[in-house]
Amino acid sequence: MKRNIVLIGSMGSGKSHLGRNLAEARGWQFVDTDRVLEQRYQLPIADIFNKLGERAFRTAELEVLKRVCMYHEAVISVGGNFPIEMKTLRFLQKYSYIVGIRAAEYRIVRRVNRKIGKRPTMDYNDVQGFVASMMRCWRPVYKKCDFVLDTTHGHTMSLVDEVEEQLTKEAVAFKARKQPKLQLKKPQSQRKQPNASLKGGHAHETNSRINQRRRCAGYERSRTSRRSQRNL
């Protein structure tokens, strides 16, 4: 039984857009590991890469991935700056259904060029050559995915339907997220009431003390009166 769906693939393949729509269709939460890193460092992803360097960046990315893959009922989009290592992929498959997202090279080139400078590892001086090299690195990773989806021509919702159909075909089951327990207030009639017997006993004790003081005061007045009569 799986906990979530993880989308992996090269940059520009359409993971984030598809992931948001798939999560909405399922009523699940959506997690983008690049956005998690940006929230952690309060910097754009390209600036984080430049600040940390490749090695530290990949370590930080892996730490985030190992944490979010434990989430239940989540669609998780993994940053496509580097191909996922096989040992990391095997770890993810313990908890997640892995969907590889790919697209034709020309489509990725077009998507990457929409926002120059956004992709930290992209060589914007040779986008075409970089994308071709990147796609060759991703090929062995796609072969290990549970399912591979091509986003080159498909409409978003038709792609979502393809994922759902594949999940149904494979009878993939997901572990539901635990719901927090609600503490219900007890009805007024069931709330603890003061002990009547204790309350009555306290009143009885108080009255007894008052009566005792009154008897003592009356006794003293009587003695004083008798002394006065003797003196006469």
Side-chain angles (χ1 to χ4, degrees):
M1 183 174 288
K2 304 294 185 178
R3 297 187 181 193
N4 49 60
I5 298 172
V6 167
L7 309 182
I8 66 171
S10 68
M11 65 177 71
S13 57
K15 299 182 300 295
S16 296
H17 181 68
L18 176 65
R20 277 190 292 269
N21 285 274
L22 179 59
E24 183 177 355
R26 288 192 143 252
W28 286 7
Q29 60 180 324
F30 173 68
V31 180
D32 188 318
T33 59
D34 280 351
R35 304 292 84 77
V36 174
L37 280 171
E38 288 179 338
Q39 291 175 4
R40 177 179 175 182
Y41 289 96
Q42 294 297 300
L43 290 170
I45 196 70
D47 292 347
I48 297 172
F49 181 82
N50 293 331
K51 179 180 179 180
L52 299 181
E54 180 178 336
R55 184 174 181 179
F57 179 85
R58 296 187 73 162
T59 299
E61 194 173 49
L62 182 59
E63 289 174 356
V64 169
L65 185 54
K66 286 186 175 182
R67 177 163 55 88
V68 300
C69 77
M70 299 295 178
Y71 291 1
H72 293 83
E73 296 184 342
V75 176
I76 302 166
S77 173
V78 180
N81 299 294
F82 304 98
I84 288 183
E85 295 180 355
M86 290 300 174
K87 62 179 181 180
T88 302
L89 187 61
R90 287 193 295 269
F91 174 80
L92 291 176
Q93 287 178 323
K94 295 179 182 178
Y95 309 99
S96 312
Y97 184 84
I98 311 296
V99 180
I101 308 299
R102 67 184 179 190
E105 290 182 13
Y106 79 89
R107 181 69 73 186
I108 293 177
V109 169
R110 187 179 300 174
R111 291 170 180 171
V112 167
N113 279 326
R114 289 174 185 170
K115 294 184 179 180
I116 303 296
K118 177 184 177 182
R119 320 279 180 173
T121 59
M122 173 59 66
D123 180 4
Y124 286 98
N125 295 318
D126 183 17
V127 174
Q128 184 74 47
F130 184 92
V131 169
S133 176
M134 177 183 66
M135 293 301 295
R136 286 194 295 270
C137 293
W138 272 99
R139 282 172 190 161
V141 180
Y142 286 129
K143 293 179 180 179
K144 299 296 182 180
C145 294
D146 298 311
F147 178 59
V148 178
L149 186 67
D150 193 306
T151 65
T152 303
H153 302 291
H155 184 272
T156 300
M157 293 316 298
S158 65
L159 295 172
V160 169
D161 290 340
E162 282 190 53
V163 176
E164 291 292 355
E165 289 171 5
Q166 187 65 25
L167 293 172
T168 302
K169 180 181 178 180
E170 296 184 33
V172 181
F174 293 95
K175 190 174 181 180
R177 180 171 42 185
K178 291 183 179 180
Q179 299 296 328
K181 294 182 179 180
L182 298 177
Q183 294 183 350
L184 301 177
K185 292 183 178 181
K186 292 183 178 180
Q188 187 71 27
S189 59
Q190 295 182 10
R191 293 181 184 178
K192 188 175 181 179
Q193 300 294 336
N195 194 313
S197 61
L198 292 177
K199 184 177 179 181
H202 178 71
H204 175 73
E205 181 181 359
T206 302
N207 292 334
S208 299
R209 290 177 181 176
I210 293 173
N211 292 334
Q212 184 177 5
R213 287 197 295 270
R214 286 176 179 175
R215 286 195 296 271
C216 291
Y219 176 72
E220 290 297 328
R221 285 196 299 271
S222 177
R223 289 182 62 187
T224 303
S225 176
R226 287 197 296 272
R227 287 175 183 172
S228 299
Q229 289 178 0
R230 289 174 185 168
N231 293 333
L232 294 175

